[in-house]
């Protein structure tokens, strides 16, 4: 019994030590925000209720995160990178590129409205529940989930799936080899719809599928 309690206590202590949580907040009037990630599994973009720009990183496995948060009068740059080392990486048999395992690192970034935001990444999943500004997402591979378009959202992704809930915004959807559906109905690429107003969704891709659902 004593030995069992010891192992339970040891495991809890190890988990508490391994997990990391990094939070940073800055107040800035800069109109441009750049977010650069490397090795992050999930990124959530939220609109801040204040004039502060904040970033929270969760590192479940305690792999180590390198982050940089700098602002000037013109723009803010947020860089997030894991220190994950791959001893025996898996290999994609088609192109022989190494495949990185999940890092179990996620980040939540809260941004004041009406900023011009650009996200750069390789492989990542991104979520956003409406942003009242210009949001540009440039990634190589991953899933992008846009729950609502409240400004201008532009997604450039080579492969993956873009999920978007839409209402009466302008749509400009291009995918060369992927599929487009609107309320489960297949659509031809390019799929365009022009509406009055400033709300707009643009998707440009080679292999990604685009799933549009009317709210």
């Amino acid at each position: 019994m004593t030995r069992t309690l010891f192992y339970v206590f040891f495991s809890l202590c190890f988990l508490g030590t391994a997990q990391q949580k990094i939070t940073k907040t800055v107040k800035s009037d800069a109109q441009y925000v750049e977010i650069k990630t490397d090795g992050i599994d999930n990124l959530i973009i939220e609109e801040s209720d204040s004039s502060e720009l904040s970033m929270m990183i969760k590192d479940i496995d305690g792999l180590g995160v390198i982050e940089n948060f700098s602002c000037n009068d013109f723009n803010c740059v947020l860089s997030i990178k894991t220190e994950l080392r791959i001893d025996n990486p898996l290999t994609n048999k088609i192109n022989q590129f190494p495949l990185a395992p999940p890092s179990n690192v996620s980040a939540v970034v809260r941004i004041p409205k009406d900023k011009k935001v650009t996200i750069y990444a390789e492989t990542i999943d991104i979520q956003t529940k409406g942003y009242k500004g210009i949001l540009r997402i440039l990634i190589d591979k991953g899933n992008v989930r846009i729950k609502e378009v409240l400004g201008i959202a532009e997604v450039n992704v080579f492969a993956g799936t873009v999920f978007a809930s839409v209402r009466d915004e302008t749509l400009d959807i291009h995918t060369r080899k992927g599929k487009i559906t609107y309320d489960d109905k297949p659509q031809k690429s390019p799929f365009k719809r022009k509406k009055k107003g400033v709300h707009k969704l643009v998707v440009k891709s080679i292999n990604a599928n685009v799933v549009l659902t009317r709210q």
Side-chain angles (χ1 to χ4, degrees):
M1 182 67 180
T2 305
R3 181 175 297 179
T4 302
L5 291 175
F6 171 77
Y7 282 127
V8 171
F9 177 77
F10 178 79
S11 299
L12 292 174
C13 290
F14 177 78
L15 289 173
T17 304
Q19 295 183 13
Q20 297 184 39
K21 185 176 179 180
I22 302 171
T23 303
K24 284 193 174 183
T25 302
V26 65
K27 187 173 182 180
S28 173
D29 295 328
Q31 288 299 308
Y32 295 88
V33 177
E34 293 184 14
I35 302 172
K36 302 176 182 179
T37 73
D38 185 2
I40 307 300
D41 290 341
N42 298 286
L43 174 64
I44 298 175
I45 301 297
E46 297 180 349
E47 187 173 297
S48 175
D49 295 330
S50 66
S51 59
E52 293 182 336
L53 177 66
S54 66
M55 172 178 64
M56 181 179 68
I57 303 172
K58 292 183 179 180
D59 180 5
I60 295 177
D61 295 334
L63 297 172
V65 174
I66 301 172
E67 46 79 26
N68 183 36
F69 199 150
S70 61
C71 290
N72 55 36
D73 293 338
F74 182 72
N75 71 339
C76 286
V77 178
L78 288 71
S79 298
I80 311 169
K81 181 179 180 181
T82 64
E83 293 183 303
L84 176 64
R85 294 181 176 86
I86 308 173
D87 296 328
N88 297 300
L90 298 174
T91 302
N92 186 318
K93 294 182 179 180
I94 296 177
N95 51 31
Q96 298 300 309
F97 290 156
L99 299 176
S103 64
N104 290 327
V105 177
S106 62
V108 178
V109 178
R110 294 183 176 91
I111 307 170
K113 64 181 181 180
D114 298 327
K115 304 292 185 181
K116 297 179 181 179
V117 184
T118 305
I119 301 172
Y120 302 95
E122 293 184 358
T123 301
I124 193 172
D125 287 347
I126 298 176
Q127 302 176 45
T128 176
K129 186 182 178 181
Y131 179 71
K132 295 178 182 178
I134 299 176
L135 177 63
R136 298 180 68 233
I137 299 173
L138 290 80
I139 63 175
D140 292 339
K141 182 180 179 181
N143 295 325
V144 178
R145 291 176 171 82
I146 301 175
K147 294 185 178 180
E148 190 175 3
V149 179
L150 298 178
I152 298 176
E154 180 180 339
V155 181
N156 286 261
V157 54
F158 178 76
T161 304
V162 179
F163 302 90
S165 298
V166 296
R167 289 184 179 176
D168 296 322
E169 53 272 88
T170 294
L171 300 176
D172 188 0
I173 314 297
H174 295 252
T175 180
R176 187 179 301 176
K177 298 180 181 179
K179 297 179 181 179
I180 302 173
T181 60
Y182 182 78
D183 275 347
D184 296 326
K185 296 179 180 179
Q187 306 293 332
K188 292 183 178 180
S189 180
F191 177 57
K192 295 186 178 184
R193 183 183 72 181
K194 191 172 183 179
K195 295 286 185 177
K196 293 182 179 180
V198 297
H199 299 173
K200 185 176 182 180
L201 173 64
V202 179
V203 179
K204 299 178 182 178
S205 179
I206 302 296
N207 296 318
N209 297 322
V210 182
V211 180
L212 304 175
T213 305
R214 184 172 179 82
Q215 289 183 328

